[in-house]
Every structure is written in structure tokens, then in C-alpha cells.
Amino acid sequence: MLSRVYCASTIGVDARLIEVETNMSTGVPKYFLVGLPDRAVSESSDRIEAALKNSNAEFPKGRITVNLAPADLPKEGSAFDLPIAVTLLNVSGQIKTDKLEETLILGELALDGKLRPVNGVLPMAVQARDKGLINMVVPAENGPEAAVVDGINVYAFEHLTEVMGWLHDMDSYQPLNVDVKKMFRRNGEQEILDFSDVRGQENVKRALEVSAAGGHNVIMVGPPGSGKTMMARRLPTILPPLTLDEALETTKIHSVAGLLPTGEALVTKRPFRSPHHTVSDVALVGGGSIPMPGEISMAHNGVLFLDELPEFKRSALEVMRQPLEDGSVSISRARMSVSYPSRIMLVASMNPSPTGDWYDPADPGGASPAQMQRYLSKISGPMLDRIDLHIEVQKVSYDELSSKAKGEPSNEIRKRVIRAREVQTKRFMGIEDVYCNAQMNTKMSRKICTLDDAGKQMLKKAITSLGLSARAYDRILKVSRTIADLEQSENIRSNHIAEAIQYRSLDREGWLG
């Protein structure tokens, strides 16, 4: 007798349906599991046997062959426990149903029959719906995550006996429903960081507003204690709220990585990732024998903050160059190749010198030219070219620190950012993978960022005197377009160009040799 049910396996942030086929015939009792299972899948038979016995069911006796198709695709993880158990119950006649071939089933089994959560449920639910499946059975903890996807009936259970009861009488169970709008509202009420807590630093807050409005990468240079980290952590509070599509895309990555917070079905706030400077190349961009997303992908649709940028290994920074440019990370291994999205805002900070103070060659107690060169050589010119705004952060004065007057709240800044983003949304409507000014390619920026004669002369003088690269030239054009969008100006004027040029301070002579 043959029984078949669908499961799924993740490849990158997408999923692929897996057919679990179980055949039982007479002969010497033997259990075969084929179809390129990994060790976790191969060990499933002992878990399943114990779970069945502790759920008042029997492990069938006979010659049993379980095939995971397609056979050439590696199968990983413990999500195959429950679908294999269901097919075993079906071939042995302990359950009878004709609904298995329209149902996706997944879950890990504990020895007592309880269902344990698995990773990657959201992309699996999307794939099941797209392939026309009607029902989906998942562990209770994964239920809300799967139910976010419209168009498929999700049933969430805590124990194998509940799954057996559902298979005997499906009509007596109601599918799980979740309120996505409520999820967005709840997370919006949990915001505790706010720009109103920042005293002074008006020029820095203005630059971060420009950065948020256009999705630009930014680096802050200033001495310790000047508020660089404090302001970076508040940057997500002025970014536009996630759309549902962005939230689903972001949740897929966190789900596949197994980092979706307990009790949360959807990532509704823009991610903020801040890896330590000892992070490895693989941890930063992703990889491993089984390719997993790195920090740059975990920050997709959000902010990746690299504090003390020169302390990061140069090799780790260099492998980020292409993902920053392309908005995705491609990881190739002998067994598979996967791609993870990495459309982020890079925010970096650094001290102006190894001693932490602004560099002064005449200061005998400061850093020597050789020390400065070693310190700054960790950041390559091509890496710096990919950062649109360079901001000098000065120490806050006592009067500003002791002032009782609060700064402008994040909500007010966010309103201006959203208005600027709305202009960009209309501008790039119909253009794939371009949502803000920072994502324009060279051809688009030259076409959209047109300058008047005064602006051209100002930019020419800056390029000549500072010796900027072609990429830096494009960055200035994009930033000036964003500044104009913040002012709701259709044309880029000379004052917009002047402000954008001010944000290229690291291109000045004496910084990178």
C-alpha cells in the first residue's frame, strides 16, 4: 500500500515542495528512508516510533520504504517527522482520509508525541499556497506564522493525537486566523527609542534625516561619547514603516535562520543589526556548509550598524562591497547555490584617529602619521565610495547636555521622510527593485538628477578640488536629489548640491592617504 503527503524544504529564503511517499509491503520487517536525507532526517524513525506508541498508535510492521522526492534534492532538518508519521498511519490503516494529497504537513515530533516548532514555515506556507494546496498542518508555535499567508487553511496542533483526530474528522476543526493589522499596531506601540532624547547634534540629525529619506548609506566620524551609537540606534524610528510585502520578505529570512522571536508571527519593525567587530566574513555575509543568511541579510529592509568600522577585519568589509551594490548575496557551495536579499541601509561609525580625538599632526600626544595611516587603511577607497554620507560628529557642549528642552521627536522627522519617500515611489513606479534614490543605477541617476548651470559649476569645482571618483560623483547626485525631495522641489538647485558635497568629508585630502 502506498501513501503520499506533502512537506517542504527551504532553499535560501524560498521553499520547495517535497513529496513524502511511504510504501508498505509484506516481508521481513525493515525500514528504509531514501531521498538524500541528512542525519536529522535519518534519525527520525526512532523518534516517530516512540511518538506513535505514546499516542496510542502502532509503528507498522512490514517492509517499509519512505522516499523523499525529488530524490536529488538534499533534505535537512526535523520537519519531516510528522508527515512521515502520518503516511505510516495511513498505509497501516490506522487513519483513513483522502485529503492528504491536498495538504502540507510539517513538524518535529518529541518522544511523547508533542509537536515541536521548525524553521522556515512562512516560505513553506507561501509555496504551498502557490502550488494550489488547500490545507497546512503545523506545530502550534508555528501556527500564527503560517496563518499570515492568505489563501490556505492553517491548522495548528500541539500533539500527534490532535493531528490524528483532525484527519479522522476535518470538518469539526476551524482553521487558524490572525489579524495582521493588529500585529503592526502592537509593534508600533512598543517603540521606546526616540530622537527627542538626543541633545544638540542638529547637523547630524539633519544628515540622518537625509539618509533615511533616500535610503543612503552613512558613516559618522567623531570622538567617543559624542552620541554616534545613540543616534544610529534611533535611525529605524524615522524610517518609513514596513509594508506588508517588506514584512513578509523580512520574516522569511528570520524564519529560515530560526531567529523569529517566540510568539511573533511577523517582523513588523525594520530590523536593526549591530554585529561585533570580531564578526567573521561568513557570519557577516552568510555561508557555511549549509548556506545560511548572514548579518547583512538579517538586516534586509532595515539598518546594519557597524560600530568602530576600522576595527572590523578588512576582509569582512571587502566581501560586503558587492552585496551593498547589488542588494543580494549569492552563496555557492558544492551541494547548492542560494541567494539571500540584502537591501539595507549601512550605518557605520568610527573615531577620527586611533587615540579617539581629531587628528592634529602638531599634537605631540596624538597619533603619528604612520598610526593614522594604519588605522585608516583598514577602510578601502572602494568601500568608502559605497557610503553616500560622511558626517563629522562633534562633542556635545555642557549647555546642550544640561538643557531641559527636548529635541524634535522621531514622529515629526518620520513624517518628512515619508513624504519624500512618496515622491520617490511615484518616480520609480514600474521600475523593478528600485524604491528609493539610493537604489538608482548610474544611468538612472544621470537621467533623473539633472542640474542647472549653477549646480553643474559647483559640482565641477568640488570634483576637481577633492579628486572624487566617478562613484562619489553619482553619490552626490543621488543625495542632492533626496535633499530636493525633502523640500518637495521638482528640480535640484545649487543649495541642494552644496549640502550634498558637505557630506563627502572623508574625500578631503589627508584622510585616506
Side-chain angles (χ1 to χ4, degrees):
M1 183 177 177
L2 177 68
S3 177
R4 180 185 291 110
V5 70
Y6 286 104
C7 188
S9 180
T10 55
I11 303 175
V13 293
D14 297 316
R16 185 168 176 180
L17 288 189
I18 305 295
E19 288 188 36
V20 180
E21 302 173 316
T22 298
N23 185 73
M24 187 174 72
S25 59
T26 57
V28 177
K30 190 75 174 178
Y31 182 87
F32 300 95
L33 178 61
V34 297
L36 283 185
D38 72 349
R39 186 166 182 175
V41 183
S42 299
E43 292 174 346
S44 63
S45 61
D46 293 329
R47 293 193 298 271
I48 293 170
E49 183 174 2
L52 289 174
K53 288 181 179 179
N54 289 312
S55 302
N56 298 319
E58 293 293 329
F59 192 89
K61 295 178 175 60
R63 189 176 180 85
I64 298 170
T65 302
V66 178
N67 179 43
L68 306 178
D72 61 343
L73 182 71
K75 317 301 186 307
E76 300 157 352
S78 56
F80 299 93
D81 289 5
L82 183 58
I84 292 175
V86 168
T87 58
L88 290 173
L89 291 170
N90 193 35
V91 295
S92 60
Q94 297 179 68
I95 58 170
K96 293 183 179 179
T97 178
D98 58 353
K99 302 293 185 180
L100 290 185
E101 294 195 10
E102 59 188 32
T103 302
L104 181 79
I105 299 179
L106 52 93
E108 178 183 340
L109 284 172
L111 299 185
D112 61 357
K114 289 183 178 179
L115 303 187
R116 290 177 173 158
V118 296
N119 297 337
V121 169
L122 180 61
M124 294 177 186
V126 172
Q127 179 71 357
R129 179 199 62 189
D130 293 345
K131 291 296 183 180
L133 298 184
I134 299 173
N135 304 312
M136 184 173 183
V137 174
V138 297
E141 290 183 43
N142 292 130
E145 180 185 345
V148 167
V149 180
D150 290 328
I152 188 167
N153 298 321
V154 175
Y155 298 89
F157 301 111
E158 294 184 351
H159 200 277
L160 177 58
T161 53
E162 297 177 23
V163 179
M164 294 166 61
W166 177 77
L167 289 169
H168 280 298
D169 185 12
M170 294 183 181
D171 293 336
S172 61
Y173 291 81
Q174 293 296 319
L176 182 65
N177 290 308
V178 296
D179 188 343
V180 175
K181 292 182 179 179
K182 186 178 179 180
M183 293 180 187
F184 278 92
R185 288 196 302 269
R186 184 177 67 248
N187 279 345
E189 295 168 355
Q190 296 173 351
E191 195 63 69
I192 57 175
L193 300 177
D194 198 282
F195 264 101
S196 62
D197 302 326
V198 181
R199 299 290 189 270
Q201 304 293 16
E202 298 303 324
N203 63 316
V204 183
K205 288 189 280 188
R206 165 63 180 178
L208 292 177
E209 179 181 339
V210 172
S211 174
H216 301 288
N217 300 328
V218 59
I219 183 169
M220 293 180 283
V221 184
S226 55
K228 302 186 296 294
T229 301
M230 181 183 187
M231 288 183 283
R233 292 189 178 279
R234 282 157 176 75
L235 184 58
T237 66
I238 65 172
L239 290 172
L242 281 174
T243 65
L244 179 58
D245 287 342
E246 287 178 325
L248 290 171
E249 200 174 41
T250 305
T251 305
K252 279 184 179 181
I253 301 171
H254 288 247
S255 177
V256 167
L259 296 178
L260 198 62
T262 303
E264 289 196 16
L266 195 66
V267 176
T268 55
K269 294 170 63 177
R270 293 196 180 272
F272 180 90
R273 304 291 296 186
S274 180
H276 192 261
H277 61 77
T278 57
V279 66
S280 67
D281 303 8
V282 170
L284 193 58
V285 299
S289 56
I290 301 173
M292 295 296 290
E295 290 289 339
I296 193 170
S297 294
M298 296 299 296
H300 179 61
N301 287 324
V303 174
L304 177 67
F305 178 47
L306 303 184
D307 199 7
E308 302 299 339
L309 188 66
E311 300 300 326
F312 284 79
K313 292 188 298 183
R314 180 158 180 163
S315 60
L317 297 179
E318 292 304 296
V319 296
M320 288 181 56
R321 284 163 49 180
Q322 201 62 38
L324 284 173
E325 201 75 17
D326 297 341
S328 64
V329 179
S330 296
I331 305 169
S332 298
R333 295 292 181 266
R335 297 175 66 184
M336 67 177 68
S337 295
V338 300
S339 180
Y340 290 108
S342 60
R343 194 168 59 245
I344 65 166
M345 276 185 62
L346 174 65
V347 179
S349 73
M350 61 180 285
N351 294 330
S353 72
T355 62
D357 297 318
W358 291 100
Y359 177 56
D360 183 0
D363 182 6
S368 67
Q371 288 176 317
M372 278 297 298
Q373 182 60 34
R374 283 196 300 271
Y375 180 66
L376 296 171
S377 65
K378 295 183 180 180
I379 311 172
S380 68
M383 179 65 185
L384 201 59
D385 273 348
R386 287 168 168 80
I387 299 178
D388 301 353
L389 285 82
H390 309 158
I391 312 171
E392 294 182 12
V393 185
Q394 304 292 340
K395 289 184 178 179
V396 184
S397 68
Y398 171 79
D399 290 339
E400 289 174 321
L401 284 173
S402 59
S403 172
K404 294 183 179 180
K406 284 197 171 186
E408 187 177 22
S410 293
N411 281 339
E412 293 302 316
I413 303 174
R414 174 182 265 184
K415 289 177 183 177
R416 296 195 295 270
V417 169
I418 291 174
R419 286 197 295 269
R421 286 288 186 106
E422 288 172 351
V423 172
Q424 295 165 47
T425 299
K426 293 177 181 178
R427 176 182 299 136
F428 303 124
M429 191 171 293
I431 302 176
E432 188 175 356
D433 295 330
V434 179
Y435 307 99
C436 58
N437 290 334
Q439 296 166 355
M440 289 190 290
N441 57 33
T442 302
K443 183 178 180 180
M444 292 174 62
S445 63
R446 301 293 172 88
K447 179 180 179 181
I448 292 173
C449 305
T450 56
L451 308 178
D452 57 19
D453 291 338
K456 290 178 181 177
Q457 289 301 317
M458 181 176 293
L459 186 53
K460 179 181 178 180
K461 185 176 181 180
I463 294 293
T464 305
S465 60
L466 296 177
L468 302 180
S469 67
R471 186 176 280 117
Y473 172 81
D474 288 333
R475 294 293 191 262
I476 291 175
L477 287 179
K478 294 177 185 179
V479 172
S480 61
R481 180 64 266 175
T482 299
I483 296 169
D485 291 341
L486 279 168
E487 294 185 3
Q488 301 292 302
S489 173
E490 185 176 346
N491 301 315
I492 299 175
R493 298 193 293 268
S494 57
N495 62 306
H496 304 146
I497 291 288
E499 184 177 352
I501 292 171
Q502 290 179 3
Y503 298 135
R504 301 300 302 183
S505 60
L506 296 188
D507 293 324
R508 297 170 191 168
E509 184 179 356
W511 269 100
L512 293 176

